[in-house]
Amino acid sequence: MATKATKVTNTKGTKESKFFLARIFDKIFGGLKMSWPVVIIFAVVSGLYTAIVAAKVPDGNSFHDISVTFEAWILLALLVILNCKKPLEAALKVFVYFLISQPLVYLFQILFFHAPLSLLGYYPFWFKITLLTLPGGFVAWFAKKKAWWAGLIMTCSNALLVLMFVSYYNGLQSNFPNHLLSAIYCILMIIVSIVFILKDNIAKIICFVITAVLLIAGFIISNKGEEYTITLDSGFLDKEGIVFEGEPYVSYWSSTESGCTGSVEVTRDNGSYNYVFNGKGNCSYQFELRDEADNLVVYRYYRDNDSKELVLKRDF
């Protein structure tokens, strides 16, 4: 009898160990208490953390990405949505979560880190995202259902993750290891969404197939476009009356579309500064120039669709 009891205990232990990760993710995506006070506290903490990261973590670092891109916010949104009991509750709570957290990202930087008021100019984009969370949260709640169509719902968030992964992957080709952790995160989040969040096997297959197709298509599209390198001397700054106190440096640059790789660097030649741009096709880019006094100038550069010439535009 003792031997038999031992066997039963071992079998149970093996079963619990086998589904350990599944139990963890079931708790994270459906087993947490997401009351209104929790949502509000979560939003404030998210806004404060993002503001600190934006102000203190160097640009080009994966930990800084939460302040400029949206892949991390997909996870945070799912935490709110999937821990709600009803779809309308999920829609309202994720909407309020973004309505509180996003403006706080900018307000905390202005209040505590002496950022300029012009920083609020970035908020309109996130306000549009906030409005989309209302219908998006309602629909996303149904991804927790054990039905084949849940896979189609989860594909929507995976499509955004694929978009960011392709962008990060291409950026790694010229700026390794910048954003490496963000690229890895995108893949891991896709895996978690398919394997652990979706409950129906057919839904898992549907989501996997569509996500894989999107990933392949993303790589194909991103490889299109002629690469170019253009060097501009510091005269273009002089024409606009911009004077740097000390040697200028590129504090941040990014492509504005998925699959666009590029870079910008400052070189010095006979006392003057040259700006070397590397881009691809009709991709658009944004970069920031700073100096030792922390003066900031933001520029966008892109290929004009008609003239095919490089357009450099100051973003006031």
Side-chain angles (χ1 to χ4, degrees):
M1 293 296 293
T3 303
K4 184 176 181 180
T6 301
K7 287 182 178 179
V8 171
T9 302
N10 289 340
T11 302
K12 182 179 179 181
T14 302
K15 184 176 181 180
E16 288 181 352
S17 176
K18 181 179 179 181
F19 297 102
F20 177 68
L21 277 178
R23 293 202 310 275
I24 290 178
F25 285 111
D26 282 346
K27 180 68 175 178
I28 294 174
F29 298 106
L32 300 178
K33 183 180 179 181
M34 195 57 62
S35 62
W36 278 108
V38 171
V39 171
I40 294 172
I41 294 172
F42 188 28
V44 173
V45 172
S46 298
L48 178 59
Y49 170 79
T50 305
I52 294 173
V53 166
K56 297 300 182 180
V57 177
D59 300 321
N61 188 298
S62 292
F63 295 102
H64 186 270
D65 288 337
I66 189 175
S67 64
V68 291
T69 54
F70 51 78
E71 66 276 358
W73 294 97
I74 294 175
L75 169 61
L76 300 178
L78 288 175
L79 286 175
V80 175
I81 294 168
L82 299 180
N83 281 292
C84 292
K85 303 299 182 183
K86 300 291 183 180
L88 182 58
E89 175 193 0
L92 293 173
K93 286 183 175 178
V94 75
F95 172 72
V96 170
Y97 170 75
F98 275 82
L99 192 64
I100 295 174
S101 63
Q102 295 311 307
L104 286 182
V105 172
Y106 304 105
L107 292 176
F108 281 143
Q109 290 183 72
I110 293 171
L111 293 174
F112 301 130
F113 301 106
H114 308 293
L117 286 174
S118 58
L119 189 66
L120 291 173
Y122 290 102
Y123 179 63
F125 169 79
W126 283 99
F127 181 68
K128 294 175 184 176
I129 298 296
T130 300
L131 293 177
L132 290 175
T133 62
L134 196 55
F138 186 94
V139 174
W141 182 87
F142 290 94
K144 65 195 298 184
K145 291 293 185 179
K146 193 173 183 180
W148 65 267
W149 41 262
L152 297 177
I153 296 174
M154 188 58 68
T155 298
C156 296
S157 63
N158 280 1
L160 295 175
L161 291 169
V162 165
L163 184 75
M164 297 310 302
F165 171 75
V166 172
S167 178
Y168 286 137
Y169 177 83
N170 287 329
L172 284 169
Q173 308 309 304
S174 57
N175 289 281
F176 186 86
N178 288 7
H179 308 293
L180 175 61
L181 293 180
S182 291
I184 294 174
Y185 159 80
C186 289
I187 290 298
L188 290 178
M189 189 60 203
I190 288 173
I191 294 173
V192 167
S193 68
I194 296 174
V195 177
F196 296 107
I197 295 181
L198 292 174
K199 306 303 180 185
D200 182 79
N201 289 333
I202 296 180
K204 294 177 187 287
I205 295 173
I206 291 174
C207 189
F208 172 78
V209 171
I210 297 177
T211 302
V213 170
L214 291 174
L215 186 59
I216 294 172
F219 279 119
I220 293 174
I221 295 173
S222 68
N223 287 326
K224 293 182 177 180
E226 179 184 358
E227 296 185 354
Y228 59 86
T229 298
I230 298 178
T231 301
L232 299 176
D233 60 37
S234 56
F236 80 96
L237 287 180
D238 297 335
K239 293 178 181 178
E240 296 180 351
I242 299 171
V243 179
F244 281 110
E245 299 179 20
E247 182 175 352
Y249 64 95
V250 179
S251 60
Y252 169 78
W253 78 268
S254 69
S255 57
T256 57
E257 302 105 7
S258 173
C260 293
T261 58
S263 64
V264 55
E265 60 180 322
V266 182
T267 62
R268 192 167 184 174
D269 182 23
N270 295 326
S272 63
Y273 298 105
N274 299 321
Y275 303 85
V276 182
F277 307 99
N278 299 293
K280 177 188 287 188
N282 294 323
C283 295
S284 298
Y285 303 88
Q286 176 176 293
F287 69 95
E288 296 177 351
L289 291 175
R290 291 182 183 268
D291 61 12
E292 296 170 359
D294 208 33
N295 294 316
L296 169 65
V297 181
V298 179
Y299 278 91
R300 301 179 190 277
Y301 66 103
Y302 55 92
R303 285 278 199 178
D304 183 80
N305 289 328
D306 298 322
S307 65
K308 305 302 180 184
E309 295 295 326
L310 179 74
V311 176
L312 187 66
K313 178 182 179 182
R314 185 179 179 187
D315 190 5
F316 290 92

